[in-house]
Amino acid sequence: MKLNFSNYFRSRKILISLALRNLRQHRSKSLIIASIMSISVYVLIVGLTTINTIESGINKAFIDYFTGDVFIRANADYKYSLLGIQSPGGLEDNPVLPEYTKIFNYIEAHPSVKSATPYITGAARLSFENQGKEGQRGGSFLIGIDGATYYDSFESKIVEGTGILPDQRGVVLSKSNRAEIQDYLDVEINIGDPVTLYGFGNGGFAIRTVPLVGVFEFVQGKKEKNYLGFIDGDTFKDLKGLYYVNEPLNISEDKIDLLDVDLSDDAFIDDFFSDDVADAQNTLDSELNLEIERELEDSSIVFDQIWEFLVIHLDDPRFARGFIRDVNKWLDEQGIDASAGDWKAAAYPMSTMADAIRIIFMIVVGIVFCIAVMIVINTLVVSVLERTPEIGTMRALGAQKSFVKRLFNYEIFFLSLFSGLTGLILAFLTIFIIRLCKIESTNGLTFVLYSGNYLNPIASFSSIFGPFITIMIAGFVANIYPLHLASGVAPVVAMREK
Amino acid sequence: MSIIKLDKVVKNYKLGSTEVRAVKGVSFEINKADFISIAGPSGSGKSTILNMIGCIDTPTDGSVIINGIDTNNLGDKALTSLRHKELGFIFQSFNLIPVLNVYENIEFPLLLAKRKSLGISKAEQADWVSYLIEEVGLTNWKKHRSNELSGGQRQRVAIARALVTRPSIVLADEPTANLDSSTGEVIINLMKKINRDLGTTFIFSTHDSTIVNIADHVIRLHDGEVAENYKRTE
């Protein structure tokens, strides 16, 4: 049987031609609809690209420099992350990861794991009292690391001195943190300078002095600003009194007497920053440290096994979700009261910033989108009403309802396509201009958000085609009611046109 | 031989809460190749009857039979097919599709059906459209759009369009109402010529007595009823 398609294609051709000519004929309405749709696509693409860039910036900054792809922590009744306790006014310290060695051995042997390293995190005040400006201290967020494994997991560029070597005691400050402290305290800080750390943990108030062994900057750029420092894990455990968590240490009475300061609440607060405490503590330090070390040697606790977190880099981060599921299953089976989470959980609440921005953006876009669709529906309805005699004529001449529907569908298709492409081109131009403008990050927040020194938005497949497809669908949705009206036009209307 | 039969056709309209009886039990028959005028003053029911014959309106009661098919039993799709196959329309306001040129306007009804159902090849289709354009005297205007044509030229396009599917019946609702008298006469004569040449049944409504006189068969309506029904050849 010979099929004759020529009239089919001619019919399609005339439909397309009719649709395009109608759009031109009713150009004012076409322009209104096209403008609304183009702006919608433009806003969606630029907005989503910006949000994706921010999200990717946050993601990269945290995964590459802080959280890894996956982290493991002890379960707790309260919410906490690598950044500490998240409950308002919460004074609890991060809980210790139970059965650390068992977990570490399992993770290290896992075929998907690229590297793993433990953390202890918290804040401390730093004092550089060798500068003769006693009593002045700068605050820092410290990460207690294991020098033997940390540098296999995270890149950081040591610009002076060294990193924290295995079994070494010391502090490594970020370049920007050192600069900030230098400015704030009006001192010069050099490698080898003693750094006195003031901390408060499970064991109460503690002071430790270690040397500054290095200064680092993140590989990403020069503009970073942060208040970060790395410290050897053992010193940080001392500072946080982590050995008290599992088993109290027996410190001799005479050493306890050395801590003869008024520790009543009010006096404690007053004394916290007083120089008397610092002096007393400095005197106490060496003797007390020796006592603690002796005690720890006799203790059943293995000091090396006390960590708060284990952060993990995977060979392929795309499989992080599956890996987390496997690890949590294993932890359950082993009866270990800990769980694995992704970088977002590790960096909470900072990691939720992009989600919050996205949610706010989507709500605003949703509202604007509904208004836009209503305007488009209204304009299309007016167009149908104006063209009622023309539709009636087509129907009288033998056009089925399906023909009328196809005609209007073609019109909205071309209108959406044209608008989508216009919005897309404008969005690309804007993104291109933003990239050309090289908008610099001016502070730590924008450095993280931009994922570097400059805002460098990169449009992803989903941020381009998502809005494009959305506007095509919105066009067809907006066309449903006008289409219903158009196909309902009775052919007798043609006769009434006088 | 009867091509159209109206049997006790009634058409009522709702006008607010009032029901208006536009056609009151009209019955008549029209033979193939007739050139018929449905005449009468405004409000006599001419257009309503024409609409029912044209299958674009349905009777409240009674039956309209086209080529032996009772249109009362047909749904929208079948009525549309019947209109496309058997009926051609000439409107008072020409009703050309503004974005199409003369050739495309005339060709348009052919594109609404599969060529297989039309039984002609692509070349025959093009020849037929060109022939009709020539017949209505618009060969030099075939690339022009309707807004570039005079009223008479537009109505010629409408006539060619009405004939392009080779319908057995052409309905014309006051085809000369928007034309001056001389152009109106030319249009009626053109319709008459095609009626003779192609054997197409022409039914036109008018209240213009000079045009009524050209018709072979006159059905005169008054207040929704047939006042006169006569054939000149008789």
Side-chain angles (χ1 to χ4, degrees):
Chain A
M1 192 176 76
K2 190 185 170 190
L3 292 171
N4 189 340
F5 288 110
S6 61
N7 235 38
Y8 173 83
F9 289 117
R10 180 86 180 117
S11 166
R12 283 289 178 283
K13 199 176 152 193
I14 202 82
L15 261 171
I16 291 167
S17 173
L18 257 175
L20 292 173
R21 290 183 205 183
N22 279 331
L23 293 177
R24 222 176 96 190
Q25 179 88 354
H26 305 276
R27 59 177 72 86
S28 57
K29 286 180 200 66
S30 302
L31 266 174
I32 291 171
I33 297 170
S35 305
I36 292 168
M37 287 181 156
S38 302
I39 292 167
S40 303
V41 170
Y42 173 81
V43 170
L44 273 171
I45 292 178
V46 173
L48 286 175
T49 300
T50 308
I51 290 169
N52 286 347
T53 304
I54 289 171
E55 195 172 58
S56 132
I58 293 173
N59 178 322
K60 187 171 166 48
F62 277 99
I63 290 178
D64 287 0
Y65 299 121
F66 186 40
T67 64
D69 301 307
V70 177
F71 85 126
I72 300 175
R73 64 180 165 188
N75 291 329
D77 295 336
Y78 45 86
K79 198 162 188 176
Y80 75 104
S81 70
L82 294 181
L83 296 168
I85 307 293
Q86 304 307 325
S87 60
L91 289 171
E92 300 92 339
D93 211 346
N94 296 337
V96 168
L97 185 61
E99 299 195 50
Y100 166 77
T101 309
K102 192 173 181 181
I103 295 172
F104 184 82
N105 289 341
Y106 170 75
I107 293 298
E108 201 178 31
H110 199 288
S112 305
V113 172
K114 188 177 166 189
S115 61
T117 191
Y119 272 180
I120 294 168
T121 64
R125 284 192 164 264
L126 278 58
S127 175
F128 298 84
E129 291 167 0
N130 63 318
Q131 302 283 337
K133 296 182 178 179
E134 295 176 358
Q136 294 181 319
R137 302 170 187 103
S140 287
F141 182 77
L142 292 178
I143 303 170
I145 60 169
D146 171 18
T149 54
Y150 177 80
Y151 295 100
D152 293 337
S153 288
F154 293 96
E155 271 187 291
S156 67
K157 192 171 149 193
I158 302 295
V159 291
E160 261 185 83
T162 62
I164 292 170
L165 305 173
D167 301 324
Q168 184 186 26
R169 294 232 174 192
V171 169
V172 176
L173 292 179
S174 74
K175 196 177 169 184
S176 61
N177 194 12
R178 180 175 69 164
E180 288 280 331
I181 295 171
Q182 286 186 144
D183 283 352
Y184 179 66
L185 300 181
D186 194 23
V187 294
E188 194 181 319
I189 303 169
N190 295 305
I191 301 300
D193 284 354
V195 184
T196 306
L197 304 155
Y198 296 76
F200 189 79
N202 292 306
F205 179 61
I207 301 171
R208 294 291 178 273
T209 301
V210 287
L212 176 72
V213 296
V215 174
F216 77 95
E217 68 180 10
F218 288 121
V219 178
Q220 219 164 6
K222 294 167 255 169
K223 294 280 179 184
E224 73 199 38
K225 277 197 171 66
N226 60 61
Y227 300 97
L228 275 178
F230 291 105
I231 183 170
D232 68 278
D234 290 350
T235 303
F236 210 17
K237 287 170 199 172
D238 287 351
L239 203 63
K240 294 185 79 175
L242 284 186
Y243 36 76
Y244 292 116
V245 173
N246 295 343
E247 189 174 323
L249 296 177
N250 296 313
I251 308 295
S252 58
E253 284 298 323
D254 58 321
K255 295 296 180 296
I256 296 291
D257 290 342
L258 285 171
L259 281 168
D260 190 18
V261 286
D262 182 1
L263 292 179
S264 64
D265 285 352
D266 293 341
F268 179 77
I269 297 300
D270 291 341
D271 287 345
F272 186 83
F273 298 109
S274 80
D275 297 335
D276 293 344
V277 173
D279 291 344
Q281 194 65 44
N282 279 333
T283 314
L284 174 67
D285 266 353
S286 54
E287 291 181 46
L288 191 59
N289 278 346
L290 285 171
E291 185 89 8
I292 289 165
E293 279 168 21
R294 273 197 302 275
E295 177 64 23
L296 282 169
E297 278 169 15
D298 299 338
S299 169
S300 59
I301 300 164
V302 181
F303 198 51
D304 286 351
Q305 291 186 9
I306 300 170
W307 293 95
E308 291 173 348
F309 305 100
L310 183 62
V311 294
I312 302 152
H313 272 115
L314 299 177
D315 285 324
D316 191 341
R318 289 175 300 171
F319 301 121
R321 195 174 287 181
F323 177 79
I324 289 168
R325 204 172 38 240
D326 289 350
V327 171
N328 281 331
K329 194 178 163 198
W330 178 81
L331 289 167
D332 271 356
E333 285 166 0
Q334 298 299 314
I336 301 172
D337 194 18
S339 58
D342 62 5
W343 75 271
K344 283 192 172 182
Y348 182 86
M350 284 286 282
S351 57
T352 56
M353 196 191 302
D355 288 340
I357 295 170
R358 185 182 290 273
I359 288 166
I360 293 166
F361 175 76
M362 293 315 283
I363 289 170
V364 172
V365 163
I367 294 166
V368 172
F369 204 71
C370 287
I371 295 168
V373 167
M374 294 306 284
I375 296 170
V376 171
I377 291 173
N378 215 25
T379 314
L380 287 172
V381 166
V382 172
S383 176
V384 167
L385 294 177
E386 276 183 4
R387 290 164 60 189
T388 297
E390 186 187 319
I391 300 164
T393 303
M394 288 182 190
R395 294 280 287 121
L397 295 176
Q400 297 286 359
K401 285 181 177 179
S402 58
F403 179 90
V404 177
K405 282 182 182 172
R406 280 206 302 273
L407 176 62
F408 277 82
N409 274 332
Y410 270 115
E411 287 182 20
I412 201 69
F413 170 77
F414 285 118
L415 205 52
S416 307
L417 188 71
F418 169 77
S419 312
L421 287 174
T422 307
L424 199 142
I425 290 165
L426 288 174
F428 266 126
L429 276 175
T430 306
I431 291 165
F432 181 69
I433 289 166
I434 291 172
R435 288 172 70 115
L436 275 185
C437 287
K438 288 191 171 251
I439 299 167
E440 278 193 75
S441 63
T442 52
N443 54 50
L445 179 66
T446 52
F447 180 81
V448 170
L449 296 181
Y450 296 178
S451 185
N453 293 329
Y454 301 103
L455 176 60
N456 197 17
I458 298 164
S460 67
F461 184 84
S462 62
S463 68
I464 296 167
F465 289 99
F468 191 79
I469 291 165
T470 304
I471 212 67
M472 296 294 285
I473 293 168
F476 281 101
V477 169
N479 204 29
I480 290 172
Y481 179 62
L483 204 66
H484 172 72
L485 282 183
S487 63
V489 171
V492 72
V493 171
M495 286 292 194
R496 292 186 192 138
E497 179 75 356
K498 303 294 180 193
Chain B
M1 182 195 156
S2 165
I3 192 168
I4 297 166
K5 186 180 175 187
L6 271 71
D7 186 24
K8 296 171 190 161
V9 170
V10 173
K11 182 68 186 179
N12 299 336
Y13 287 112
K14 284 262 184 195
L15 206 67
S17 56
T18 323
E19 194 168 69
V20 178
R21 296 199 77 188
V23 177
K24 302 166 184 171
V26 167
S27 299
F28 60 78
E29 288 187 21
I30 293 169
N31 290 336
K32 191 168 166 44
D34 269 0
F35 194 73
I36 303 148
S37 166
I38 298 178
S42 291
S44 60
K46 325 185 275 294
S47 293
T48 308
I49 285 179
L50 214 61
N51 291 347
M52 287 188 286
I53 294 171
C55 302
I56 57 177
D57 205 353
T58 50
T60 310
D61 201 7
S63 59
V64 177
I65 296 161
I66 311 285
N67 263 346
I69 301 164
D70 188 344
T71 59
N72 280 9
N73 302 326
L74 302 179
D76 180 74
K77 206 167 179 178
L79 284 172
T80 306
S81 292
L82 184 67
R83 278 199 302 275
H84 184 258
K85 202 174 167 188
E86 300 290 346
L87 299 159
F89 288 89
I90 300 168
F91 304 98
Q92 184 179 329
S93 297
F94 325 125
N95 291 30
L96 301 182
I97 296 168
V99 294
L100 300 181
N101 64 30
V102 167
Y103 185 96
E104 290 164 339
N105 257 294
I106 295 169
E107 188 194 28
F108 180 74
L110 290 176
L111 303 174
L112 297 173
K114 289 174 184 151
R115 181 170 295 117
K116 200 176 168 187
S117 68
L118 297 170
I120 53 170
S121 69
K122 190 179 175 182
E124 284 169 337
Q125 183 173 301
D127 287 347
W128 173 234
V129 175
S130 296
Y131 168 78
L132 288 171
I133 291 173
E134 200 179 322
E135 275 294 290
V136 296
L138 290 172
T139 308
N140 295 332
W141 297 86
K142 65 180 178 183
K143 294 286 176 197
H144 289 253
R145 289 208 183 165
S146 61
N147 59 358
E148 297 163 342
L149 304 175
S150 68
Q153 285 174 318
R154 289 181 201 190
Q155 201 57 303
R156 286 161 188 262
V157 177
I159 291 168
R161 183 179 64 183
L163 293 164
V164 78
T165 54
R166 300 171 199 257
S168 49
I169 303 155
V170 170
L171 301 164
D173 184 26
E174 308 222 20
T176 59
N178 285 338
L179 302 172
D180 62 72
S181 57
S182 60
T183 310
E185 202 178 319
V186 170
I187 290 294
I188 290 294
N189 285 332
L190 176 64
M191 286 162 60
K192 180 83 178 166
K193 179 181 175 293
I194 292 164
N195 164 251
R196 272 198 311 267
D197 294 351
L198 303 177
T200 310
T201 307
F202 270 82
I203 307 167
F204 56 95
S205 67
T206 184
H207 55 262
D208 186 339
S209 56
T210 55
I211 293 170
V212 173
N213 292 337
I214 302 171
D216 317 319
H217 181 173
V218 178
I219 298 167
R220 199 175 293 278
L221 299 173
H222 186 74
D223 281 346
E225 290 176 326
V226 177
E228 277 185 293
N229 184 355
Y230 61 90
K231 293 185 178 180
R232 286 189 202 285
T233 46
E234 284 174 358

